[in-house]
Amino acid sequence: MNQVHVQQIECLLVLSEELHFGRTAARLGYSPSRASQLLSALERRVGVRLVERTSRRVSLTRFGAQFVEEVRPAYENLSTTFLRARDRAMRGALRELRLGFHGSVYEQVTEAFRLLRAEHEVTVTLSEIPLGSPFSAVLEGRLDAALVELPVHDPALTVGFRFPPQEQLLAVGTAHPLASREGVRVEELAEFDLLRPVGDAPDYWMAARVPPTTPSGRPIRSGTGINTVQEGLALVAAGTHAMLVCRPMAQSISRTDVRCLPISEWEEPSQLGLVRRTADTGPQLTALAGLLAEVYGGDSPCYAGLSPAPGSRDIA
Amino acid sequence: MNQVHVQQIECLLVLSEELHFGRTAARLGYSPSRASQLLSALERRVGVRLVERTSRRVSLTRFGAQFVEEVRPAYENLSTTFLRARDRAMRGALRELRLGFHGSVYEQVTEAFRLLRAEHEVTVTLSEIPLGSPFSAVLEGRLDAALVELPVHDPALTVGFRFPPQEQLLAVGTAHPLASREGVRVEELAEFDLLRPVGDAPDYWMAARVPPTTPSGRPIRSGTGINTVQEGLALVAAGTHAMLVCRPMAQSISRTDVRCLPISEWEEPSQLGLVRRTADTGPQLTALAGLLAEVYGGDSPCYAGLSPAPGSRDIA
DNA sequence: CATATCGTTGAGCCTAGCTCAACGATCGCT
DNA sequence: AGCGATCGTTGAGCTAGGCTCAACGATATG
């Protein structure tokens, strides 16, 4: 009763363009009398005459013109908002995509987010997830996808995009026995205690983060657990711990008390992936995967993706 | 059918706050079943579930939350726009006030406009009106009021505010015989040709602009008509014409080829007024009159209003 | 397991949305 | 000046949608 009647407003807006009740009614799909009734009802509710009409000429009142001027943008705003939402609903799309990540988000990825926002009207919210629980937030529905290390062997989860594989380095503190070396052989890993993510990740994933043995079978110790990369780096810098990190991560470390050494004779790169629920077939994640492929140059993931700046501080 | 249903949106917005169909219905003033029907109708129209509900718990769907986030501001915008307009309509107020003026608008007046906008949500549009037709635009309804010289003797017109009366000066060009003088006696006016506004102003108004005779009865010539003050000043500067101007006007003249002389032995000040239609009893003009009175210091119009800067160039 | 709360559904009433036909006002034409 | 055409309005009347009520099913609490 006392609320805004969209129909009446529509009628007024069309009438303000047509200045003719017959055409207005035709455009809106009902009889001229209805247009007349709608408008007089609106005028009754507003309290003043909005349209001056004789049987020959229709014109807006001074107040009516100002009213139209005010109401039109507000109406169109609501209307398009509604239609846009309905459109998204029909496409099964969401306006906001919740993504999780480990450590840091690379520039190519934020570029893809920017494109996604521009081309698909999707905004991305980011939240860091515990290093040792890469999948639970996605599985529980708190996130739509996670940018985490592969592999994933879970029928409920699917990898939407595979990032270029990256060499793994060994991060050690400047006080560490290895700190003065230029590199380390993979068999030497058995002599140190590697930091290990803690969380509810499946065993195969944990084993991929910190191998239980060297290629020749010597056991690798990993007594200390960490929850985040920064936590790990703090331990590395402070004591005698060592930690495996991928090359882009090593490049992004800006502390002077940590060095990253290449590991020779080891061919097990780490690879990030965009992990989503298999059941979630929304188009935005597909779009994001496509944009990531685009950003990483061609749609075939390759090693060339993250070109490391020559002479950067990753090996010294 | 295919349009936005405000009722449904209202229901969703309230429900998103209450998360309870019973309370929602109570707040909106209908039965719980109606709330349920409205919401399912909205969901049918949008195409997806907006609210997840069991008989014990009501919560917004992910999409529903985003939808609410988008729609609420749009709805509130339309709603308040409508209510504001209705409020103005009931007060008989207009959002825009069309004013006319002669020559220039003084700072005190624009200050009053600023206050009017801030306190009464009324914007002012200004347009200059021909010097000789001060009333016709108002009488014809093209303007709401005019800031023009008094007097007005027309039952259809009313003076909403009287500005402080101002001394009149004689503007002459630097080549004029009087240019080297410090002042002029009123009887000397009979010796020159005064510029005269042309337009449809009533005779009594024209006579007040350019008196037909000096106080002692000697006729004053006024052969040349002008449409605007600037036109008059151009003629004054170029030739041997003279023109009567009020003190604030003289102060605002920035040309070096025109001088303004005080007229001794003459006590006929010019006075500006805010002239409106008597039939137009809208509150904004009353408000404007009040603000003008305020700006001009107290509500009793007095001569002290426009304090001329000492040593300003009005008399040389 | 009993009970209370709460959202949904379907039947039914009633208002409003809408159309149709008749009317009155205005303008152009002769 | 009179005629006809155009156009907005009004009131009668039909129908669909708005709304309520009562019954039902599901869920949490004791």
Side-chain angles (χ1 to χ4, degrees):
Chain A
M1 282 303 165
N2 206 8
Q3 86 201 344
V4 182
H5 257 24
V6 179
Q7 216 181 162
Q8 299 173 348
I9 292 178
E10 268 179 340
C11 184
L12 175 66
L13 295 184
V14 174
L15 186 62
S16 76
E17 292 170 7
E18 297 285 353
L19 294 177
H20 188 286
F21 277 77
R23 283 196 297 275
T24 300
R27 260 180 66 175
L28 292 167
Y30 37 62
S31 65
S33 58
R34 184 66 189 144
S36 175
Q37 290 167 356
L38 282 173
L39 200 79
S40 36
L42 180 60
E43 286 177 328
R44 214 172 319 120
R45 291 204 316 99
V46 173
V48 289
R49 219 159 175 64
L50 300 171
V51 170
E52 209 59 66
R53 46 236 203 237
T54 70
S55 64
R56 295 309 280 181
R57 200 176 312 280
V58 173
S59 65
L60 287 175
T61 300
R62 181 103 178 287
F63 189 96
Q66 293 182 11
F67 184 72
V68 165
E69 213 173 285
E70 282 187 300
V71 165
R72 170 168 283 136
Y75 166 79
E76 283 174 354
N77 183 19
L78 181 64
S79 187
T80 59
T81 298
F82 189 84
L83 290 178
R84 267 214 317 267
R86 199 167 67 115
D87 187 52
R88 265 207 303 279
M90 291 197 299
R91 299 199 325 267
L94 287 165
R95 208 194 60 199
E96 188 187 79
L97 211 51
R98 298 165 305 181
L99 298 187
F101 66 97
H102 272 171
S104 68
V105 178
Y106 307 128
E107 285 181 25
Q108 290 93 334
V109 178
T110 55
E111 169 67 9
F113 293 165
R114 209 188 51 73
L115 292 172
L116 189 69
R117 174 175 223 141
E119 296 175 16
H120 295 83
E121 294 182 346
V122 177
T123 64
V124 173
T125 62
L126 286 167
S127 51
E128 188 164 6
I129 45 186
L131 204 53
S133 305
F135 307 136
S136 48
V138 174
L139 284 169
E140 292 165 17
R142 298 200 314 274
L143 293 179
D144 296 308
L147 297 160
V148 290
E149 282 80 20
L150 302 182
V152 196
H153 300 135
D154 188 330
L157 295 174
T158 303
V159 179
F161 175 75
R162 291 172 187 277
F163 288 79
Q166 296 294 338
E167 179 189 1
Q168 295 200 70
L169 309 178
L170 187 72
V172 294
T174 43
H176 194 275
L178 288 174
S180 57
R181 298 259 298 273
E182 286 301 314
V184 58
R185 279 174 298 114
V186 66
E187 292 300 327
E188 289 181 285
L189 293 183
E191 296 162 23
F192 304 101
D193 193 337
L194 294 189
L195 291 174
R196 167 183 54 83
V198 291
D200 57 10
D203 291 339
Y204 68 84
W205 190 87
M206 287 296 192
R209 295 288 71 66
V210 179
T213 64
T214 63
S216 73
R218 298 172 66 192
I220 296 177
R221 280 173 295 149
S222 59
T224 310
I226 52 173
N227 287 299
T228 68
V229 172
Q230 291 306 319
E231 206 178 305
L233 286 175
L235 284 174
V236 166
T240 56
H241 290 286
M243 180 171 66
L244 290 169
V245 297
C246 65
R247 181 179 287 276
M249 171 69 68
Q251 287 179 270
S252 73
I253 297 171
S254 58
R255 25 198 324 165
T256 56
D257 50 3
V258 173
R259 296 191 57 206
C260 295
L261 311 174
I263 304 169
S264 57
E265 301 162 26
W266 195 32
E267 294 298 332
E268 278 207 40
S270 93
Q271 184 175 29
L272 248 60
L274 178 70
V275 177
R276 62 168 177 87
R277 285 183 297 285
T278 308
D280 183 355
T281 56
Q284 312 98 318
L285 283 173
T286 317
L288 177 58
L291 289 171
L292 283 170
E294 217 173 89
V295 165
Y296 275 95
D299 35 15
S300 62
C302 65
Y303 284 75
L306 287 163
S307 56
S312 63
R313 53 180 305 285
D314 61 327
I315 52 168
Chain B
M1 282 301 165
N2 207 9
Q3 87 201 342
V4 181
H5 257 25
V6 179
Q7 214 181 163
Q8 299 173 348
I9 291 178
E10 268 179 341
C11 182
L12 174 68
L13 294 184
V14 174
L15 187 62
S16 77
E17 292 171 6
E18 297 286 352
L19 295 176
H20 189 287
F21 277 78
R23 283 196 297 274
T24 301
R27 258 180 67 176
L28 292 167
Y30 37 62
S31 67
S33 58
R34 184 65 190 145
S36 176
Q37 291 167 356
L38 282 173
L39 200 79
S40 36
L42 180 59
E43 286 177 329
R44 213 173 318 121
R45 288 187 44 290
V46 173
V48 289
R49 216 155 178 67
L50 299 172
V51 170
E52 209 57 68
R53 50 240 204 231
T54 71
S55 62
R56 293 311 280 183
R57 201 176 311 278
V58 173
S59 65
L60 287 175
T61 301
R62 181 102 177 287
F63 189 96
Q66 292 182 12
F67 185 71
V68 166
E69 215 173 284
E70 283 186 299
V71 166
R72 169 167 285 136
Y75 165 78
E76 283 174 354
N77 182 20
L78 180 63
S79 187
T80 59
T81 299
F82 188 84
L83 290 178
R84 268 214 316 267
R86 199 168 65 116
D87 187 52
R88 266 207 302 277
M90 290 196 300
R91 298 200 325 267
L94 287 165
R95 210 193 57 200
E96 192 186 77
L97 212 50
R98 299 165 304 183
L99 298 187
F101 65 97
H102 271 171
S104 67
V105 178
Y106 308 128
E107 284 181 27
Q108 290 93 332
V109 178
T110 54
E111 169 66 10
F113 293 165
R114 210 187 51 73
L115 291 173
L116 190 69
R117 175 175 222 139
E119 296 175 17
H120 296 83
E121 294 182 344
V122 177
T123 64
V124 172
T125 62
L126 286 167
S127 50
E128 187 163 7
I129 45 186
L131 203 53
S133 304
F135 307 136
S136 48
V138 174
L139 284 169
E140 291 165 19
R142 299 199 314 274
L143 292 179
D144 296 308
L147 296 159
V148 290
E149 283 79 20
L150 301 182
V152 195
H153 301 137
D154 187 331
L157 294 175
T158 303
V159 180
F161 176 76
R162 291 172 186 277
F163 288 79
Q166 297 293 339
E167 177 190 1
Q168 294 200 73
L169 310 178
L170 188 71
V172 294
T174 44
H176 193 276
L178 288 174
S180 57
R181 298 258 297 273
E182 286 301 314
V184 57
R185 279 176 297 110
V186 66
E187 291 300 329
E188 291 181 283
L189 294 182
E191 297 163 21
F192 304 99
D193 193 337
L194 292 189
L195 291 174
R196 167 183 54 83
V198 290
D200 56 10
D203 291 340
Y204 69 84
W205 191 87
M206 288 296 193
R209 295 287 74 66
V210 179
T213 64
T214 64
S216 72
R218 299 171 62 192
I220 296 177
R221 280 173 294 147
S222 60
T224 311
I226 54 173
N227 289 299
T228 68
V229 172
Q230 291 305 318
E231 206 178 306
L233 286 175
L235 285 173
V236 166
T240 56
H241 289 286
M243 177 170 68
L244 290 169
V245 296
C246 64
R247 183 179 285 275
M249 172 70 66
Q251 285 179 270
S252 72
I253 297 171
S254 57
R255 25 197 326 164
T256 56
D257 50 2
V258 172
R259 295 191 59 205
C260 296
L261 311 175
I263 305 169
S264 57
E265 300 163 27
W266 195 32
E267 294 297 332
E268 279 209 40
S270 95
Q271 183 175 32
L272 248 62
L274 178 69
V275 177
R276 62 168 176 88
R277 285 183 297 283
T278 308
D280 182 356
T281 56
Q284 311 97 319
L285 284 173
T286 317
L288 178 57
L291 288 172
L292 284 170
E294 218 173 271
V295 165
Y296 275 95
D299 34 18
S300 61
C302 64
Y303 282 76
L306 286 164
S307 55
S312 63
R313 56 181 302 287
D314 61 326
I315 52 167

